[in-house]
Amino acid sequence: MWVNLSHSSHFPNTAIGYLRAATTVSPCRCVHTLVKNFDCKGLRLDLLPTDCAQMVVDELVCGGALSAAALVRFGELDLDCIMWADVGAGEHLTGCGLRAFRIIWRAWNSRAAAWRPVTDRGILTLTANLYLEHLKLNHCVQITDASLHHLGGLSHLLSLELQGCESLTGLGLAALSTLTALTVLNLTQCTRVTSGLEHLSRFSRLHILQLGWCTSLGDAEVKPLALLTAIRTLTLCYTQVTDATVAHLAVLDQLTSLDVHGCTRLTDAALDSLTHLTGLRLLHLGHCEAIDDPGMSSLALLPSLTHVDLCCTCVGDLGMAALSALTNLTSLNLDSSCVTDDACRTLAALPRLASLHLDDCYLTNLGMSLLRPLTSLTRLHLPYTKVTNSGLAALAALTGLQDLNLDVAEVGDRGLSHIALLTALTSLDLFGAHVTDLGLWAIRGLSLLQRLELCWGGVTDPGCSFLAHLTSLRSLNLSHNPRLGDAGLRVLCHALRELEFLSLNRTRVTESGLRDIATQLPLLRALSLANTQVGPRSVALLRSKRPTLHIKVASGNSDGKHALRF
């Protein structure tokens, strides 16, 4: 989303400079400029365009810099929401912050989101906003059933998200029965909710209900949901439901999305119960290990299916043959299933397939050659398969690919010459592939790349000159390239100014390299330096210069695979 600054002439003179300087760059850089100069007295935040103000608030939250006093500076802007729960910021805002929001929220289109820690007392204060329509309290672990009693008076509430509120129980759900306008209710990871779903039966308008990871819910507890005839999206993943529950809920003929992944008690019989739900579009069956080939004949009777997740099931080539009737499929996840090259003949007959996961399947170069007709593919994941460099020649026909995962040990520099033809790529995962500077030369023309994983390769300092061509990169993982040092990092810092995530675990980077990071990468949000020569004093200095930068130096996850996800 680009920030609309067309009315910048209405800003005070002291703010115009900041905004005009940002109009020719990305919205991230614009927001960075505003946040950096947030304390400027002449910066009238209440006159900001709404989309820009929303992004400034989000950035302040991520940096833990949002306070009640700061909120007042936004005046009565019509902001959509403020999300604290998922970013873990705003801990310094307690009940006092809530009271401040009570005044401001009325001007913010009755939308609210929350942060942690929030207590029952704070929720009581919040309920003075009788016209609240949207409330997110995700991961507010300190609120109890008492808070649900407070929320019971918000009769205008349309959506309520309580994901990860671990202290809530089924007894508290009775207090929510008055919220008859609800269309969205999220109780994901409310692990102490073991009963009480009968109190939801009054929600005649409820369209989305999420009960995933409520691990004690079984057939008896879930049975009342059959009364929610308006339900379109139902999530029951990692609950204790069995085939009997699916049969009982098959009366919900408005269902378009059903997520039961991780429900290990389900068998092919559950799929037989779904055959008359002809409007079902999304079906998640991953990790239902008893789902096998015979059940696929039932799925073949659901012509509207567009997304099917069969990861970690026993479905093999025979079951895939039955799915050839699902010509509307756009997304199929076969990660760690039993399919082989033969299944690719069926896949090739699915003309609309845009996303395909074949992770950890017995797929060889023969299977790759059979995938050539899938010209609609935009995402293809092939980690831990038997594909080699020569097999990647089949990718030449898939010119629309945007996301490619090749975490394959047999892929190296020669294979990257085929990848170089995929100019639409925005995400490329070569974790575990044997890529050297020669391979980087081959892919230097992928100008749209925003995410690149190059762990466990042979990247050196000279090779960084090829990476420097990829100026759209937002996320770069170079962990476990032991010949990469400060000289290469300096090249990257000067060229890749849009970087937000950078992982350098087990490289030769030293304190000297940190100076370039501090001054040349203004948008950097996360940096991983586990098992490098960078000492704690240098890290502390970098943190003092870049207080909002998340720096990871612990060696517990130094393998690099998820180094950017901290």
Side-chain angles (χ1 to χ4, degrees), residues 46 63 98 142 258 438 458-459 468:
D46 58 320
L98 273 173
Q142 296 186 28
L258 178 61
L438 182 62
V459 178

Side-chain angles (χ1 to χ4, degrees), residues 197-368:
L197 299 187
E198 65 274 9
H199 300 300
L200 308 184
S201 59
R202 296 184 60 192
F203 296 168
S204 59
R205 302 180 186 178
L206 198 65
H207 292 161
I208 300 175
L209 177 60
Q210 295 168 295
L211 295 167
W213 288 275
C214 295
T215 52
S216 296
L217 293 178
D219 291 343
E221 293 78 22
V222 173
K223 186 176 181 180
L225 300 185
L227 299 174
L228 301 175
T229 55
I231 284 285
R232 298 174 187 170
T233 298
L234 179 60
T235 302
L236 294 169
C237 56
Y238 290 98
T239 59
Q240 302 300 315
V241 298
T242 69
D243 297 342
T245 290
V246 176
H248 192 71
L249 297 179
V251 298
L252 302 176
D253 56 8
Q254 299 299 309
L255 269 183
T256 59
S257 175
L258 178 61
D259 186 348
V260 289
H261 80 267
C263 296
T264 56
R265 299 185 180 188
L266 297 183
T267 70
D268 291 334
L271 305 185
D272 293 337
S273 304
L274 299 177
T275 53
H276 76 283
L277 297 180
T278 54
L280 201 62
R281 296 200 298 267
L282 286 77
L283 182 59
H284 297 274
L285 298 167
H287 297 272
C288 296
E289 297 172 356
I291 300 295
D292 208 334
D293 288 338
M296 297 304 98
S297 59
S298 297
L299 293 194
L301 301 177
L302 299 173
S304 297
L305 280 175
T306 60
H307 294 67
V308 175
D309 178 5
L310 295 169
C311 75
C312 299
T313 63
C314 293
V315 175
D317 298 339
L318 184 61
M320 283 303 303
L323 295 185
S324 60
L326 299 180
T327 55
N328 287 317
L329 269 186
T330 60
S331 176
L332 181 59
N333 187 352
L334 295 168
D335 181 355
S336 302
S337 65
C338 298
V339 300
T340 70
D341 289 338
D342 285 342
C344 295
R345 304 181 192 278
T346 300
L347 294 173
L350 301 175
R352 299 184 182 182
L353 206 58
S355 176
L356 177 60
H357 288 250
L358 291 168
D359 319 42
D360 205 17
C361 294
Y362 194 82
L363 180 73
T364 69
N365 293 342
L366 173 61
M368 282 294 297

Side-chain angles (χ1 to χ4, degrees), residues 24-94:
T24 59
V25 296
S26 70
C28 289
R29 191 178 295 276
C30 170
V31 170
H32 172 76
T33 302
L34 291 168
V35 172
K36 181 179 180 181
N37 297 282
F38 185 76
D39 293 329
C40 175
K41 293 182 179 179
L43 191 61
R44 289 285 304 281
L45 299 171
D46 58 320
L47 296 179
L48 282 173
T50 301
D51 50 359
C52 184
Q54 181 71 62
M55 295 174 71
V56 171
V57 169
D58 293 343
E59 186 69 19
L60 289 171
V61 167
C62 291
L66 189 63
S67 64
L71 277 173
V72 174
R73 295 189 59 191
F74 289 92
E76 296 191 353
L77 280 174
D78 187 22
L79 299 179
D80 284 337
C81 60
I82 309 173
M83 297 182 182
W84 279 279
D86 294 327
V87 297
E91 286 86 347
H92 57 289
L93 295 174
T94 59

